[in-house]
Every structure is written in structure tokens, then in C-alpha cells.
């Protein structure tokens, strides 16, 4: 089946620290992969995406590379800021699975000054 | 202009009451979803429509009834509310069933007393 396994949180980092949030997936077919961010009290926003193997998605200093050989899509940022405190969700979509969009359990990140 | 808008943003009601949440998208998308997010931020898909046709109907009590009058609108009606229905309900839309990312509304926080 199709699923996403995401690193459990919560994660607490000091400002300017390096961030990695691990995400691995299982999928039938050729999935597209996504990272969403949810700031407190808000809906989910797309952070970045990759639609095929070896693609790198990037936005706001965050990056993730679609690794087919390790079935992974880890989120990284070189230097986090307090404003990055949020919940991060890894997600995948597989064509022809009847509208399904699979989310991980979310990882809460708190960045302290 | 808000791409995916939900109303109301907050609902506080007594057990046993009936309530509705409305969702509208102005993106011209074919596909819409309802998700439930619990207190641990876990996202559970409830329903999905594609061009007004119900495609996904997950294991949800039949007290929950979606209705899509046209492809720009997807409403959620809940009968006989229970304490466990307290959650944040998110509407989302997608270009088609197999294309692109989800666009989320800001959420409707339901509190059942």
C-alpha cells in the first residue's frame, strides 16, 4: 500500500541550528512528494514538492530531495529561525489511487532564541 | 481573495445538536476534500469529491454527511454531535484527482460541550 512515515517530534532547536526532519515512504507506482507546514492557528500550506526521482524541492531556505533508492524525502534547513516554529507534514500522492493524498503524522518544531 | 474559504471558523455547541460547515474554492479545481485534525495534529481524510461525485468515503460515522452542490462547494453537515467530534475540520481542493498539491482552507474549530 501507500504510506508515509515521518520522524516523531517534538523537535526543539536553538536559532541558527541545522534542521533535518526524516520522511520515508512506501508507494505503488510513481508518487509525487510534498512537505506542508502548519503555523499555529492556521491551515496547512505547501512548503515544497518534488514530482520525480532526484528532483529537489526548495522554498524559504528549506530543501528536500526525492530519493527513490532510499524511498526518502527528508526536509532540511541550514539555519532555522524562531519564525520556523510550526508543525511539518510529509505527504505523497500516487496517480490513479482515487483522489488519495497520504499524510505523515506531523513533526512539531520549536525554535528557541 | 482567499482561495479556499471555510465558514464558520469557530463553532461551539452542545452535544446532540446539528451543525454545518461550508467550504468554497475559487481556484477552478475539480476535486475537494474534508479532513479532520485531532488534538495531536493527526490528519484523517473523511471525504473527497471529484466534480460533485463522491470518490472517498472513509470510515466515518453516518452522522457526517457531505454535500457538493457544484464543484466549487463542499459542505459538511454533522448530526447529533458528540464530544469526540471536537476537532479542527479542514477543507482542501486540488486541480484534479491526480494532479498537483492540495490547497487548504484555514480550518473550522468545532468544540462540543
Amino acid at each position: 500500500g501507500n504510506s508515509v512515515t515521518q520522524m516523531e517530534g517534538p523537535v526543539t532547536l536553538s536559532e541558527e541550528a541545522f534542521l533535518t526532519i526524516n520522511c520515508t515512504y512506501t508507494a505503488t507506482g510513481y508518487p509525487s512528494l510534498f512537505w506542508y507546514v502548519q503555523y499555529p492557528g492556521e491551515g496547512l500550506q505547501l512548503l515544497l514538492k518534488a514530482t520525480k526521482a532526484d528532483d529537489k524541492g526548495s522554498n524559504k531556505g528549506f530543501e528536500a530531495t526525492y530519493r527513490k533508492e532510499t524511498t526518502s524525502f527528508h526536509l532540511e534547513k541550514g539555519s532555522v529561525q524562531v519564525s520556523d516554529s510550526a508543525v511539518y507534514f510529509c505527504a505523497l500522492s500516487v496517480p490513479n489511487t482515487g483522489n488519495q493524498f497520504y499524510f505523515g503524522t506531523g513533526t512539531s518544531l520549536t525554535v528557541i532564541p | 481573495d482567499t482561495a479556499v474559504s471555510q465558514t464558520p471558523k469557530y463553532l461551539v455547541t452542545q452535544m446532540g445538536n446539528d451543525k454545518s460547515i461550508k467550504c468554497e474554492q475559487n481556484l477552478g479545481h475539480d476535486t475537494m476534500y474534508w479532513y479532520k485534525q485531532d488534538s495531536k495534529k493527526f490528519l484523517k481524510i473523511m471525504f473527497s469529491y471529484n466534480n460533485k461525485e463522491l470518490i472517498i468515503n472513509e470510515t466515518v460515522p453516518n452522522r457526517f454527511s457531505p454535500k457538493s452542490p457544484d464543484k466549487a462547494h463542499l459542505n459538511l453537515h454533522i448530526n447529533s454531535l458528540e464530544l469526540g467530534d471536537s476537532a479542527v475540520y479542514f477543507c482542501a481542493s486540488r486541480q484534479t484527482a491526480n494532479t498537483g498539491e492540495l490547497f487548504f482552507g484555514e480550518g473550522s474549530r468545532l468544540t462540543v460541550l
Side-chain angles (χ1 to χ4, degrees):
Chain A
N2 302 305
S3 66
V4 175
T5 301
Q6 193 175 334
M7 174 175 141
E8 289 207 16
V11 174
T12 303
L13 294 173
S14 297
E15 208 164 20
E16 300 183 3
F18 185 85
L19 168 71
T20 301
I21 301 178
N22 289 338
C23 172
T24 57
Y25 67 89
T26 58
T28 55
Y30 301 95
S32 295
L33 300 171
F34 307 83
W35 276 101
Y36 280 82
V37 59
Q38 185 179 25
Y39 298 104
E42 297 184 12
L44 281 76
Q45 306 171 23
L46 179 69
L47 182 59
L48 52 84
K49 66 179 181 182
T51 58
K52 61 183 188 297
D54 300 325
D55 270 2
K56 178 187 281 188
S58 60
N59 185 24
K60 299 181 181 180
F62 291 89
E63 293 183 339
T65 301
Y66 186 158
R67 303 275 188 211
K68 189 177 176 185
E69 61 276 13
T70 54
T71 61
S72 64
F73 193 54
H74 304 321
L75 182 68
E76 295 182 336
K77 186 175 185 183
S79 175
V80 293
Q81 305 301 312
V82 171
S83 57
D84 294 326
S85 299
V87 180
Y88 293 82
F89 293 89
C90 186
L92 76 83
S93 168
V94 182
N96 303 315
T97 56
N99 291 24
Q100 278 287 3
F101 209 93
Y102 303 87
F103 282 91
T105 51
T107 302
S108 174
L109 169 67
T110 301
V111 180
I112 53 178
Chain B
D1 256 358
T2 305
V4 182
S5 58
Q6 298 179 226
T7 54
K9 192 165 183 179
Y10 299 97
L11 304 94
V12 180
T13 189
Q14 301 287 332
M15 269 198 314
N17 284 349
D18 303 339
K19 288 292 177 188
S20 292
I21 307 171
K22 295 187 175 182
C23 179
E24 175 181 5
Q25 54 95 2
N26 63 7
L27 298 166
H29 289 172
D30 288 346
T31 304
M32 295 184 74
Y33 300 77
W34 277 112
Y35 282 86
K36 178 181 180 180
Q37 186 176 49
D38 64 21
S39 58
K40 295 184 179 178
K41 304 295 185 184
F42 180 72
L43 279 165
K44 175 181 162 58
I45 190 167
M46 301 174 70
F47 303 103
S48 178
Y49 276 73
N50 199 42
N51 267 319
K52 303 194 298 175
E53 180 185 356
L54 181 65
I55 302 296
I56 296 175
N57 185 358
E58 289 292 306
T59 310
V60 174
N62 57 15
R63 298 181 295 104
F64 290 78
S65 52
K67 184 171 277 189
S68 182
D70 56 62
K71 73 174 192 178
H73 296 84
L74 179 60
N75 304 323
L76 182 66
H77 187 75
I78 316 169
N79 290 326
S80 303
L81 279 156
E82 300 178 357
L83 293 176
D85 298 332
S86 295
V88 181
Y89 292 85
F90 285 101
C91 178
S93 74
R94 192 178 188 192
Q95 187 175 347
T96 70
N98 288 305
T99 306
E101 63 267 28
L102 295 187
F103 291 77
F104 281 84
E106 292 189 345
S108 298
R109 180 175 292 276
L110 171 65
T111 302
V112 182
L113 303 175

